[in-house]
Amino acid sequence: GENVEQHPSTLSVQEGDSAVIKCTYSDSASNYFPWYKQELGKGPQLIIDIRSNVGEKKDQRIAVTLNKTAKHFSLHITETQPEDSAVYFCAPRGSNDYKLSFGAGTTVTVRA
Amino acid sequence: DAGVTQSPTHLIKTRGQQVTLRCSPKSGHDTVSWYQQALGQGPQFIFQYYEEEERQRGNFPDRFSGHQFPNYSSELNVNALLLGDSALYLCASSLGLGGGTEAFFGQGTRLTVV
């Protein structure tokens, strides 16, 4: 099965600074790479995703970059705001797989 | 447009009992997946239903079973509850089988086994 690791496990940033979370995966056949944000008491919310034929994707303050050779992808949040405080999960999916394989999560705290 | 809805939101059961959780997918979606999320961990895949059949199953015992109805809604059943089954149970819906389709999650059902 897919082994997924996220780093760091916790991240504290000053409001306005950038945050970067890295996700490494083991299945070279993975072809779909989403990031989810989970706030307390809620289900995970899809915030951005990328597919294997694309190296980078951006949506306003968030971006995802993919390095298929090294088998890792990263979430970038710029100009962080207090409402960005949450737990973030990467969840790659293999080409012959129906399930998402979640990482252990990264707790992001944005200090005002 | 309603997103993924789950019921109930909270549930307390006694060890050994049985429980049924329900999920209605996002409008236009036909595939439902169930995940278990223990406190402080990432969600773990239980199984996925498409066209009323279980298409893939994660590493969960047979005590966990499910069903999908013709209107695409789904149920998760857990028999002989253990204390370790206490978790947030998440339902995700998507369109079609195969990789690459976006999955949207409900708010979850918090199950506590005492």
Side-chain angles (χ1 to χ4, degrees), chain A residues 31-32 36 38 41-46 49 51 57 89 93-105, chain B residues 33 35 37 40-45 48 55-56 88 90 94 97-108:
Chain A
N31 62 359
Y32 178 62
Y36 285 85
Q38 187 173 29
K42 296 185 178 181
Q45 174 194 2
L46 178 67
D49 58 8
R51 301 174 199 277
K57 181 178 178 181
F89 293 97
R93 176 159 51 194
S95 61
N96 297 316
D97 214 350
Y98 300 152
K99 71 178 186 293
L100 298 170
S101 296
F102 281 80
Chain B
S33 302
Y35 291 78
Q37 186 177 25
Q41 298 182 21
Q44 298 296 312
F45 176 77
Q48 183 179 92
R55 298 293 179 160
Q56 186 177 15
L88 181 68
L90 296 162
S94 54
L97 268 182
T101 59
E102 300 154 332
F104 295 90
F105 284 80
Q107 82 284 2

Side-chain angles (χ1 to χ4, degrees), chain A residues 98, chain B residues 29-33 47-56 68 72 94-98:
Chain A
Y98 300 152
Chain B
H29 284 182
D30 57 8
T31 302
V32 172
S33 302
F47 41 54
Q48 183 179 92
Y49 277 84
Y50 173 73
E51 292 186 338
E52 302 179 50
E53 290 188 15
E54 183 183 293
R55 298 293 179 160
Q56 186 177 15
Q68 186 179 35
Y72 309 122
S94 54
L95 180 61
L97 268 182

